Amino acid sequence: MVSIDIPPHPWWKPGLDLHRGGDSYAHLLSATRGLLDAVAGVDAPEAVLAEVAGEVSRIAGRLNSYTTSDESQIAGTRMDLPGRGHPLVVPYRTTSWTSVRMTAEVTFTRIHLGDGGAVHGGVTALLFDEVLGRFANHGRQPARTAFLHVNYRRLVPLDVDLDILTKVDRAEGRKLYITAELSHDGTVLADAEGLFVAVSAQ
Ligand SMILES: CCCCCCCCCCCCCC(=O)SCCNC(=O)CCNC(=O)[C@H](O)C(C)(C)COP(=O)(O)OP(=O)(O)OC[C@H]1O[C@@H](n2cnc3c(N)ncnc32)[C@H](O)[C@@H]1OP(=O)(O)O
């Protein structure tokens, strides 16, 4: 696990506990990702599906009784976990981080499959928006994606460790241009450029 020496973003609530839920939340997230992969790949008899659907609904109901506001949910604030600990975010793992360059790793799994054995293009775009957006925000002023341009150079495989390199290209006033590459063994599979515009703190 990488240690990030850039301080948490100033527009974060001061004193926000970035480890809420502890190891138990990490296990829940990992189990949930496993469930999504299992659902994405399943072909079981209807009786089995019906039984599992009942169990999953019961579990969701149990968690729903603890639903909180988006200000105090755990998801998205666990910087120590893959994908900021958010179940929707692709579970990339940050490996190094300076103010101008960030590296990460990612392994796509069954839930990310589009067609033809390759990752869904929208998932690749989600990964880039997340990685660039996090890099644009963390340790800087709050910023939103103004545009995101993705070049799909090769099919992106599942179940293979891939590398992400993100760099600040240039800053012009409130505008920050950031680039990223997703690669495997030195071959670029996709790359992106995003414009992030700084906005007032919420
Ligand atoms: C809990 C905390 C978590 C924190 C951790 C963070 C993790 C987050 C990770 C996930 C994060 C994921 C991140 C997400 O997904 S963020 C969510 C997706 N993005 C949005 O929803 C953004 C919606 N749009 C807006 O809010 C506004 O349009 C923004 C803020 C972008 C600009 O509106 P604003 O009124 O402020 O500015 P302006 O219009 O005066 O323009 C200013 C300058 O920008 C130039 N410009 C603008 N647009 C474009 C364009 N399309 N192409 C080229 N240029 C463009 C414009 O020409 C001008 O240039 P100049 O004339 O000055 O030279």
Side-chain angles (χ1 to χ4, degrees), residues 31-139:
T32 302
R33 292 194 194 283
L35 174 65
L36 292 175
D37 282 330
V39 172
V42 78
D43 181 9
E46 281 197 32
V48 172
L49 297 177
E51 186 188 337
V52 173
E55 288 181 42
V56 172
S57 296
R58 185 182 55 74
I59 291 167
R62 185 157 177 222
L63 289 179
N64 280 338
S65 63
Y66 293 93
T67 296
T68 183
S69 70
D70 58 356
E71 291 293 309
S72 48
Q73 70 182 31
I74 300 171
T77 67
R78 285 291 300 265
M79 298 306 187
D80 59 321
L81 297 180
R84 278 190 296 131
H86 195 297
L88 178 69
V89 171
V90 178
Y92 65 96
R93 308 169 295 277
T94 306
T95 50
S96 72
W97 197 330
T98 71
S99 59
V100 292
R101 187 179 188 278
M102 186 177 88
T103 59
E105 298 169 339
V106 66
T107 311
F108 293 99
T109 56
R110 191 65 179 261
I111 186 65
H112 305 122
L113 178 65
D115 199 7
V119 170
H120 193 296
V123 171
T124 305
L126 171 63
L127 172 71
F128 279 132
D129 190 41
E130 162 66 24
V131 173
L132 271 62
R134 181 170 169 185
F135 188 53
N137 274 276
H138 206 103

Side-chain angles (χ1 to χ4, degrees), residues 9 11-13 16 70 76-77 79 84 92 129-135 137-138 143-147 172 174-175 177 195-199 202:
H9 196 281
W11 55 271
W12 276 46
K13 280 195 251 175
L16 180 69
D70 58 356
T77 67
M79 298 306 187
R84 278 190 296 131
Y92 65 96
D129 190 41
E130 162 66 24
V131 173
L132 271 62
R134 181 170 169 185
F135 188 53
N137 274 276
H138 206 103
R144 294 187 205 132
T145 320
F147 72 64
E172 296 170 4
R174 292 163 55 214
K175 298 188 292 185
Y177 292 85
L195 168 61
F196 292 81
V197 177
V199 295
Q202 292 133 4

